[in-house]
Amino acid sequence: MDIEKIYLDNAATTNLSAEVLNAMLPVMTNTFGNASSLHSFGREASRLIDESRDTIADSIGAKSSEIYFTSSGSEANTWALIGIADANRNRGNHIIVSKIEHPSIMEACKYLQNNGYEVSYLDVDSHGFINFAELLRTIKSNTILISIMAANNELGTIQNIKAISQTAHEKGIIFHTDAVQLYGNMAIDVNELGIDAMTMSAHKIYGPKGVGALYLSNKVKIDPIIFGGNQERGKRGGTSNTAGIVGFAKASEIAHRDMKTNNHKVRALSEYFVTKLAERVENANFNANTRQKLPHIISVSFVGVDGESLLTKLDINGLAVSTGSACSTNSLTVSHVMTAIGLNNEDARGTIRFSLGKNNSYEELDKAINIIARSVEELRAYSSTYGMKTRKRKGDSK
């Protein structure tokens, strides 16, 4: 008998919208020219890319000349850190990030440290918020770049981006934010928020995989990290993904058109899921339990349960979830995000990320909660049999 599958991993990726697919199909079949070619096929592809660039720019209050298309959010993050650092090396070599950034930011920081840069990693509290006093103490005369994620991919925590950018600008420092999870879920105006550079991605908003974008203020210098062509105004080589870019623009258009409706629905679903799960599963600790977060991301630590084992059991029963960032789920190491918010190794390993989407239903959530409750109970019984203790986290009232 086929098992009904339920998808609660929308922070990892979303399904491709039918509207987006319909926008992409004519481009894939008819407008297949290389956008760098001078003939009519190339000019038509170039026109579609320009129109898409306008759409993305308009969605964040930017100029079209400030939008650069990439292959992913990870590429945009890597480019932002390394490209901005190298282009502004004459001003200093110190960079500040938080301890809960996306792996693409963390790996770029490691690269920079191996190439003569100094990187400071800010602590976060139990909800994932940075401390502004620590930020001020960490800034030096040679600090050239601050990069803080707008909304965390494992917790959903939304940082006070405007306050961070103001702090950076008061010291003449460039501010970048990874807004991959926030973009399309909340309104963003880069001028109002004081953002100098910002990362976006299509596949988090029901668009195609393999396309992202970097917003870069015309005032900010950046060096290329991909060479070989004059695409993206000479800043990023490589044949343009015309169909993907068109799909990204369409997904952005839909996300901003339906933002209020989708947010209302997803918040209601999320509140229902959290309430019912807390009722059904004892010692389920909800991380970043704050209103200043994306409602669709729900991080839960199941005391006395191994997260990898739980994820596998849920998958066998048709429920798709994650133990954290989809970019690092093949790693058996404890999530750096969970460690940063103060979880010990056992609680961190027992953490599952549920991320809801606009296509989920209450019926699906009821079925999912039944699967989760049964699976947790079975794993705890197994652990108890083999001498593992199910304990409460220090300070819990349950």
Side-chain angles (χ1 to χ4, degrees), residues 46-63:
S46 181
R47 180 186 67 80
L48 291 175
I49 290 172
D50 287 343
E51 290 178 355
S52 299
R53 203 184 306 277
D54 292 342
T55 298
I56 301 298
D58 288 345
S59 72
I60 59 172
K63 301 180 179 69

Side-chain angles (χ1 to χ4, degrees), residues 160-237:
N160 189 338
I161 293 301
K162 187 171 184 176
I164 298 171
S165 70
Q166 287 176 341
T167 301
H169 293 159
E170 286 171 2
K171 305 292 184 179
I173 300 167
I174 298 166
F175 175 64
H176 164 261
T177 186
D178 173 357
V180 164
Q181 295 292 343
L182 193 69
Y183 181 74
N185 288 304
M186 283 185 61
I188 301 173
D189 186 309
V190 293
N191 296 301
E192 181 185 342
L193 295 176
I195 298 170
D196 298 310
M198 184 175 79
T199 298
M200 299 165 278
S201 181
H203 74 104
K204 307 293 187 181
I205 56 171
Y206 306 90
K209 297 170 183 62
V211 59
L214 177 67
Y215 156 74
L216 185 76
S217 167
N218 285 330
K219 300 176 183 178
V220 177
K221 295 189 298 182
I222 192 169
D223 283 350
I225 61 172
I226 296 179
F227 304 93
N230 291 317
Q231 293 86 356
E232 298 305 298
R233 298 181 296 285
K235 293 284 182 24
R236 185 217 181 245

Side-chain angles (χ1 to χ4, degrees), residues 71-248:
S71 66
S72 63
S74 291
E75 184 201 323
N77 274 340
T78 303
W79 184 22
L81 259 69
I82 297 175
I84 291 174
D86 284 349
N88 294 274
R89 184 66 183 264
N90 63 312
R91 296 173 51 197
N93 69 333
H94 181 231
I95 295 160
I96 300 173
V97 300
S98 81
K99 290 184 177 179
I100 61 170
E101 296 301 310
H102 187 269
S104 58
I105 293 287
M106 303 303 260
E107 291 301 318
C109 287
K110 288 180 184 178
Y111 171 87
L112 289 168
Q113 285 177 295
N114 289 332
N115 286 272
Y117 289 89
E118 179 188 359
V119 180
S120 296
Y121 299 87
L122 300 177
D123 289 323
V124 295
D125 64 18
S126 60
H127 294 308
F129 295 110
I130 68 163
N131 182 290
F132 277 87
E134 183 189 3
L135 173 61
L136 287 170
R137 289 195 303 270
T138 306
I139 292 173
K140 303 179 180 183
S141 60
N142 63 334
T143 305
I144 55 173
L145 176 64
I146 296 174
S147 179
I148 304 293
M149 183 182 275
N152 185 262
N153 53 304
E154 294 188 39
L155 299 169
T157 302
I158 301 173
Q159 301 286 352
N160 189 338
I161 293 301
K162 187 171 184 176
I164 298 171
S165 70
Q166 287 176 341
T167 301
H169 293 159
E170 286 171 2
K171 305 292 184 179
I173 300 167
I174 298 166
F175 175 64
H176 164 261
T177 186
D178 173 357
V180 164
Q181 295 292 343
L182 193 69
Y183 181 74
N185 288 304
M186 283 185 61
I188 301 173
D189 186 309
V190 293
N191 296 301
E192 181 185 342
L193 295 176
I195 298 170
D196 298 310
M198 184 175 79
T199 298
M200 299 165 278
S201 181
H203 74 104
K204 307 293 187 181
I205 56 171
Y206 306 90
K209 297 170 183 62
V211 59
L214 177 67
Y215 156 74
L216 185 76
S217 167
N218 285 330
K219 300 176 183 178
V220 177
K221 295 189 298 182
I222 192 169
D223 283 350
I225 61 172
I226 296 179
F227 304 93
N230 291 317
Q231 293 86 356
E232 298 305 298
R233 298 181 296 285
K235 293 284 182 24
R236 185 217 181 245
T239 302
S240 300
N241 177 5
T242 307
I245 290 169
V246 169
F248 189 4

Side-chain angles (χ1 to χ4, degrees), residues 31-47:
T31 315
F32 55 84
N34 189 323
S36 298
S37 298
L38 296 179
H39 49 60
S40 61
F41 291 87
R43 292 197 304 274
E44 177 60 14
S46 181
R47 180 186 67 80

